Amino acid sequence: MASHSQSTQEDAILALAAEHPLLRARELRERGLPTIALSRLVGAGKLERVARGVYSRPGRAISEHRSLAEIALRVPRGVVCLLSALRVHGIGTQAPSAVWLALPSNVPAPRIDQPALRAIRMSGPALTEGMEHLLIDGVQVPVFNAAKTVADCFKYRNKIGLDVALEALHDGWAQRKLTMDALWHYASVDRVANVMRPYLESVTL
């Protein structure tokens, strides 16, 4: 039978889990709560382990983009990009089976089984410009904006296919999620302005 102090600690952890849809073990440590209590709460069915060091209340409604929140917690220097960013912005028809994540060149790709991860190396302005933070399941997730994502699709067309880049450009433009100024800016940042020029000219005809 749990002691009074133990049950008080567990109540505090459950209250924290109610505030944070995805609860990290380190958030307990920051508040002086024992992380070993997480195992007891999982065993009692009051919490579930959704990823390494990440927990949630059982039966909690989860968003379509929960895997992005999990990755953001575990790989804080990454930025959601390419097919995963298109999905977030509602552009195109891609349904990626892995989370596409931009990482600095000097950061080793983490070994993560679930959710699956597809790491893309970026550096300089290509990594730092065009980033926005979206709140997903209580987690601030860094994601490239729509125009930067479309420019990235052309830059990495050999990885994802030119047809995907073209679909993203035309669909994003049709939905008015892109502006020509932004597209030109990020085409320059990604050094693909010459590649994109004929396609950008075609959407304005």
Side-chain angles (χ1 to χ4, degrees), residues 103-184:
L103 287 172
S105 303
N106 60 345
V107 172
R111 294 181 179 180
I112 296 176
D113 294 328
Q114 289 294 330
L117 184 65
R118 184 75 186 269
I120 300 293
R121 299 298 177 177
M122 295 188 188
S123 60
L127 181 65
T128 57
E129 287 207 31
M131 187 195 309
E132 56 190 29
H133 287 81
L134 303 180
L135 189 65
I136 299 174
D137 287 338
V139 178
Q140 291 287 342
V141 179
V143 182
F144 286 123
N145 67 31
K148 172 65 161 59
T149 298
V150 170
D152 287 344
C153 287
F154 280 91
K155 182 172 183 175
Y156 296 96
R157 60 195 181 281
N158 292 338
K159 291 185 182 293
I160 66 170
L162 180 60
D163 56 329
V164 174
L166 291 173
E167 180 192 46
L169 172 62
H170 287 282
D171 190 42
W173 185 261
Q175 293 188 57
R176 300 187 177 182
K177 293 182 177 180
L178 307 169
T179 68
M180 196 52 64
D181 285 347
L183 286 167
W184 275 116

Side-chain angles (χ1 to χ4, degrees), residues 77-109:
R77 295 186 66 186
V79 185
V80 175
C81 67
L82 293 168
L83 304 189
S84 295
L86 289 178
R87 185 77 172 182
V88 169
H89 294 302
I91 295 173
T93 57
Q94 297 300 307
S97 58
V99 174
W100 289 69
L101 198 71
L103 287 172
S105 303
N106 60 345
V107 172

